[in-house]
Amino acid sequence: MKILLVGGGGREHALAWALGRHGHALHFTHENPGFDGLGEVVVGDPLERALALRPDLVVIGPEAPLAAGLVDKLDAHSIPAFGPTQAAARLETSKVWSKEFMLRHGLPTARAQVLAPGQTLPMVEQGVIKVDGLAAGKGVWVCTDESEVRRAVSEAMRINPKGKILLEERLSGPEVSVLALSDGTRITPLPAARDHKRRFDGDRGPNTGGMGAVAPVGIPEREECVEILQRAVAAMAHEGVPFRGVLYGGFMLTKKGPRLLEFNARFGDPECQVLMTLLDEDPAPWFLGVAHGRLPGRTIRTRWAHACCVVVTADGYPERGADAAVEALPADTPDVVVFHSGTARVGGELRATGGRVLGVTGIGPSSEMARERAYAAVRQVRFEGASYRSDIGASLWT
Ligand code: AMP
Ligand code: GLY
């Protein structure tokens, strides 16, 4: 299959790796040193590139092109795309729309109020404040007292002065990411994954894009989470905006059961890095099935294995990215894969350039083995300021 892949981060390297194993002709709209040897880089505007190339399928990794309506534009030219339309991507791109959708359809989630721009804040002692719209990992404040709530609301108004603000009940419990491919009607779930969002060991420090991920996570609530995703897909179809793509449910497992914190309209990163290593078949026919609204009537095959991805970042991440030569990298083996998130080739030299630089995934028959393999490989990474959490996948319930 001739495939155009949009996006150039660790998630897209993982997608390219999974597709590349099955002999597809890959083309990339972004550069990533990890793409070397996997296909042809044709940097440029994704729509123009797709029109020139006429691929069998366009696979879209990040949220920004979805929010910009790339899938709708490709549809208009009859080019199949893996990803939701702009209207369906609102599940991610508007936190307010998404919350109202969840409440309208009785999907379990935190109670919430919407503040219109300029509306005064009611008395609240604690809660979670969210800015509407894509905020690139920022725009969510978990507040434990009233002064924090007030500060968060002012900050939210500063970031998006014309936008609505969501004021949510604060929930507690472990978090899990459950993703499913959806053709608009039917879904096929992927193994439950856990992302470690905080910067430092012990879940301390600021929220980040993700410091590491593990899958599968053995949780009794998985079926319930999958059922919630299925209900969401049915509700989207009912509203006339079928969701075709990968639906990502971010759940908090509360004492009262799983609650949706958010939807994403794309693969999570680094979740995608572990999920791709666990696939036991070619994902291309599944992505094409999603694009055509016709998923096979079975679930996608995954390996009986565990995967653990440790993200190696710049020491200043999430505030600052790296700028250093990559002096050493572990070799890929059947049990270890390295995906590039923030590297670039400059004059023949591989350099660390991003905040999240590399994702190192270990695969093994148990979560412990996967973790040991990932960390053994991570210790071989050398660039100035290389930094990582030492407790990815270490807690009991993984
Ligand atoms: P979001 O971007 O909505 O996933 O929020 C980012 C992070 O904020 C989540 O991963 C949670 O750790 C936290 N969070 C979001 N909503 C809530 C909530 N209602 N209660 C507690 N924590 C939350
Ligand atoms: N890892 C979380 C995300 O991709 O949004």
Side-chain angles (χ1 to χ4, degrees):
M1 216 183 278
K2 184 157 71 169
I3 299 174
L4 181 67
L5 180 59
V6 179
R11 163 183 46 214
E12 290 77 26
H13 185 186
L15 290 167
W17 176 86
L19 292 163
R21 288 152 73 86
H22 297 279
H24 299 292
L26 300 181
H27 301 262
F28 306 101
T29 58
H30 290 69
E31 294 194 75
N32 177 330
F35 294 158
D36 289 0
L38 289 174
E40 192 195 349
V41 178
V42 286
V43 173
D45 174 71
L47 180 63
E48 277 173 24
R49 290 293 172 248
L51 289 175
L53 198 66
R54 286 276 155 187
D56 301 303
L57 177 68
V58 180
V59 174
I60 301 160
E63 58 275 27
L66 301 172
L70 178 59
V71 173
D72 309 65
K73 292 172 195 156
L74 292 166
D75 267 356
H77 293 279
S78 307
I79 300 175
F82 173 74
T85 58
Q86 189 176 40
R90 273 184 301 175
L91 279 180
E92 169 167 6
T93 58
S94 167
K95 287 192 192 296
V96 169
W97 190 87
S98 182
K99 174 61 79 171
E100 287 172 345
F101 169 83
M102 293 177 205
L103 295 174
R104 197 157 60 237
H105 294 284
L107 302 175
T109 185
R111 282 174 295 160
Q113 286 185 53
V114 178
L115 287 187
Q119 195 178 337
T120 18
L121 179 72
M123 264 289 292
V124 226
E125 278 160 16
Q126 55 160 271
V128 181
I129 305 298
K130 299 186 179 180
V131 182
D132 202 20
L134 288 179
K138 301 193 184 78
V140 177
W141 296 268
V142 180
C143 308
T144 49
D145 63 39
E146 202 196 333
S147 67
E148 274 183 22
V149 172
R150 294 205 171 273
R151 236 177 299 136
V153 170
S154 330
E155 187 56 15
M157 286 173 171
R158 195 185 61 75
I159 293 182
N160 189 1
K162 297 210 180 92
K164 293 178 182 166
I165 291 170
L166 204 59
L167 180 61
E168 249 182 54
E169 163 197 21
R170 186 161 70 98
L171 303 172
S172 58
E175 285 179 50
V176 64
S177 312
V178 182
L179 286 76
L181 304 181
S182 163
D183 65 5
T185 317
R186 207 193 322 242
I187 67 170
T188 188
L190 295 162
R194 181 183 178 196
D195 177 20
H196 293 67
K197 288 206 171 101
R198 299 274 181 172
R199 175 65 177 82
F200 301 114
D201 282 16
D203 280 339
R204 287 174 301 110
N207 250 326
T208 70
M211 294 296 296
V214 292
V217 220
I219 45 161
E221 294 92 338
R222 177 168 178 263
E223 283 318 304
E224 213 177 323
C225 295
V226 168
E227 197 197 304
I228 294 168
L229 294 182
Q230 177 67 75
R231 281 171 55 200
V233 165
M236 288 295 280
H238 183 73
E239 294 202 359
V241 270
F243 185 96
R244 297 201 184 98
V246 54
L247 183 62
Y248 168 133
F251 290 93
M252 192 165 257
L253 305 178
T254 73
K255 294 212 170 73
K256 293 183 185 158
R259 297 285 181 273
L260 276 165
L261 293 182
E262 62 163 352
F263 282 121
N264 289 318
R266 43 146 184 108
F267 278 110
D269 194 9
E271 290 95 325
C272 187
Q273 303 189 34
V274 285
L275 293 174
M276 287 304 118
T277 63
L278 292 177
L279 289 186
D280 201 17
E281 61 176 304
D282 182 359
W286 290 85
F287 294 168
L288 191 66
V290 163
H292 287 317
R294 274 196 314 270
L295 272 179
R298 60 179 179 91
T299 47
I300 195 165
R301 272 200 313 275
T302 51
R303 296 168 56 180
W304 285 102
H306 289 256
C308 172
C309 170
V310 179
V311 176
V312 186
T313 71
D315 50 3
Y317 179 70
E319 282 83 31
R320 279 182 315 281
D323 183 18
V326 178
E327 288 145 24
L329 276 183
D332 279 5
T333 69
D335 305 322
V336 172
V337 224
V338 180
F339 295 126
H340 292 240
S341 300
T343 68
R345 217 171 278 289
V346 184
E349 182 188 61
L350 185 67
R351 296 191 65 81
T353 52
R356 292 192 287 177
V357 177
L358 297 160
V360 179
T361 297
I363 303 131
S366 66
S367 54
E368 292 77 17
M369 290 283 280
R371 185 165 185 268
E372 269 168 34
R373 287 171 178 167
Y375 276 105
V378 160
R379 285 190 283 275
Q380 297 171 42
V381 172
R382 294 261 178 284
F383 64 85
E384 200 186 311
S387 164
Y388 54 89
R389 271 179 65 160
S390 65
D391 63 348
I392 303 302
S395 69
L396 273 180
W397 66 279
T398 59

